[in-house]
Amino acid sequence: MITVKLKKSLFAVVGIAVSIYFLFTAPYAVSAGVTDGLKICFYTVIPSLFPFMVLSSYVVKSDVLAPVYKIILPLTRLLFRQPPCAAPVIIMSLIGGFPVGAKMTASLSESGQITKNQAQRLNMFCVNGGPAFVITAVGAFMLSSVRAGVIMYASLCISSLIIGVISSFFDDKNVSDAKVKDLSQSPLAALSSAVSDAVQSILGICAWIVIFGAFTACIEIYITNKDLFTALSCILEVTDGCALIAGKLPIAAVTAVIGFGGICVHCQIFSYVSVSGLKYSRFFAGRAVNAALSALICHLLLMIFPVELSTAANVQSVTPAAFSVSIPAFFALTAMCIIMIFDIDTKRKLW
């Protein structure tokens, strides 16, 4: 126990020492990295992700979709051995970007609507890149091929769902389903609470983006080997990693980078994942498996639907957009807003 504590303390001390060294030896790089991170937050992350964060929180707190849960209960039970309230988590995780599924899972776990085991299994496959990032940012802009983006997105979705099905075999049969507590709030109270939660969440996400922006700018100075820097970028930050290898490595490799998500994304969402008690080592392993499986599926799909890439990919003009909005996301958001408007009228029942 003492040895473990010493190792943790040593890791923290080394991290602080490295940070101080970078701050004093590369202040301009740190400043540039922070500036780039803030630009990503203000121009991309906040405008596109914040509405989804509010929406997902409102769905959980108001329980507005409770009647829909009963309709899709058989499918959720059959494939994933999850309660019906987990269905919107799975759907929103596929269209809302990396943190949405983890945040919704944490909300369900904290409210007692799902067990710890169910929450852990959801966190193994409900962490996905949104269609806008995969299809538009990576496919259309970085690879100059929407077709490639669609194949990558399909590969990532199939991989996540397969992992979800596999995770069902680890269902704790000795633990009964959580007793659903009626913790739903009134529509206006749920909306107010959802906005407050979304503000806190988005600030945390932006903080991690800024920190990793500064760190990446610093290591770029000291790592002269381009291959090593590219490999580290793919592991650390998904957007920069994809931009560096797009058009240089096979499409399946780009898919693997998106499937892994990057340490920056892991840090952004692990506060939600840890609510279920899932250890980071298992979460990391799940992301690695997702990366390998999605790359394999992408390779197989490309054999059936080959893609020809342009010799000059438009990487330089890409605005990092890991959470950019998309057409499917827009229609999903619009539909949910309509439901919310009807639900606010407490004198009228939608169902």
Side-chain angles (χ1 to χ4, degrees):
M1 182 65 69
I2 296 177
T3 304
V4 174
K5 289 183 178 180
L6 287 176
K7 288 182 178 179
K8 290 182 178 180
S9 300
L10 180 62
F11 180 79
V13 170
V14 171
I16 293 172
V18 171
S19 300
I20 293 174
Y21 176 78
F22 281 151
L23 287 174
F24 281 97
T25 59
Y28 295 108
V30 172
S31 177
V34 169
T35 301
D36 291 340
L38 289 174
K39 287 180 180 179
I40 295 174
C41 294
F42 283 115
Y43 293 107
T44 301
V45 176
I46 295 177
S48 59
L49 184 59
F50 183 71
F52 269 105
M53 301 293 281
V54 175
L55 178 61
S56 62
S57 183
Y58 180 82
V59 167
V60 173
K61 294 179 180 297
S62 66
D63 206 21
V64 66
L65 295 183
V68 181
Y69 300 160
K70 298 179 181 179
I71 300 176
I72 53 181
L73 172 60
L75 187 62
T76 308
R77 283 287 192 191
L78 177 64
L79 293 180
F80 310 110
R81 293 187 181 179
Q82 292 283 352
C85 60
V89 178
I90 299 171
I91 295 172
M92 291 293 291
S93 70
L94 295 175
I95 64 174
F98 287 109
V100 174
K103 185 179 186 302
M104 293 182 72
T105 300
S107 298
L108 290 176
S109 179
E110 290 175 334
S111 65
Q113 298 184 66
I114 57 176
T115 65
K116 294 292 184 181
N117 176 269
Q118 291 165 347
Q120 289 178 8
R121 290 189 289 112
L122 281 174
N123 283 322
M124 295 301 290
F125 70 99
C126 289
V127 178
N128 305 291
F133 174 58
V134 181
I135 298 175
T136 304
V138 180
F141 288 98
M142 296 184 188
L143 295 173
S144 299
S145 173
V146 175
R147 182 186 179 93
V150 171
I151 291 176
M152 288 190 296
Y153 180 66
S155 304
L156 292 163
C157 290
I158 295 171
S159 174
S160 294
L161 295 177
I162 290 175
I163 293 175
V165 173
I166 294 174
S167 71
S168 67
F169 294 100
F170 296 91
D171 181 24
D172 190 352
K173 299 177 179 61
N174 296 322
V175 179
S176 58
D177 287 346
K179 296 181 180 179
V180 178
K181 302 176 183 179
D182 185 13
L183 299 177
S184 59
Q185 304 175 9
S186 66
L188 291 178
L191 181 60
S192 176
S193 180
V195 172
S196 299
D197 288 351
V199 169
Q200 295 179 358
S201 300
I202 205 72
L203 287 176
I205 290 171
C206 289
W208 282 110
I209 291 174
V210 171
I211 290 172
F212 271 80
F215 181 72
T216 304
C218 290
I219 64 173
E220 188 175 6
I221 298 176
Y222 296 97
I223 298 180
T224 56
N225 187 304
K226 292 184 178 180
D227 292 336
L228 178 58
F229 176 74
T230 299
L232 286 175
S233 297
C234 291
I235 295 173
L236 291 174
E237 213 285 313
V238 60
T239 307
D240 289 340
C242 289
L244 288 172
I245 67 174
K248 300 177 182 177
L249 295 182
I251 298 175
V254 182
T255 307
V257 173
I258 302 173
F260 179 69
I263 302 298
C264 182
V265 171
H266 296 186
C267 292
Q268 293 171 28
I269 67 175
F270 196 71
S271 60
Y272 305 126
V273 174
S274 60
V275 171
S276 65
L278 182 65
K279 294 182 179 180
Y280 180 69
S281 58
R282 290 181 59 189
F283 178 76
F284 184 93
R287 292 292 86 207
V289 170
N290 186 53
L293 182 58
S294 60
L296 175 61
I297 295 172
C298 182
H299 177 72
L300 296 176
L301 289 178
L302 287 171
M303 294 175 64
I304 304 173
F305 309 102
V307 174
E308 293 184 4
L309 296 181
S310 173
T311 56
N314 186 25
V315 176
Q316 296 298 327
S317 62
V318 175
T319 299
F323 307 101
S324 293
V325 293
S326 66
I327 298 300
F330 168 76
F331 283 112
L333 180 61
T334 302
M336 296 301 297
C337 288
I338 293 173
I339 294 174
M340 184 182 70
I341 291 171
F342 276 103
D343 190 52
I344 288 177
D345 185 359
T346 56
K347 295 182 179 180
R348 176 180 178 180
K349 294 183 178 181
L350 188 57
W351 292 279

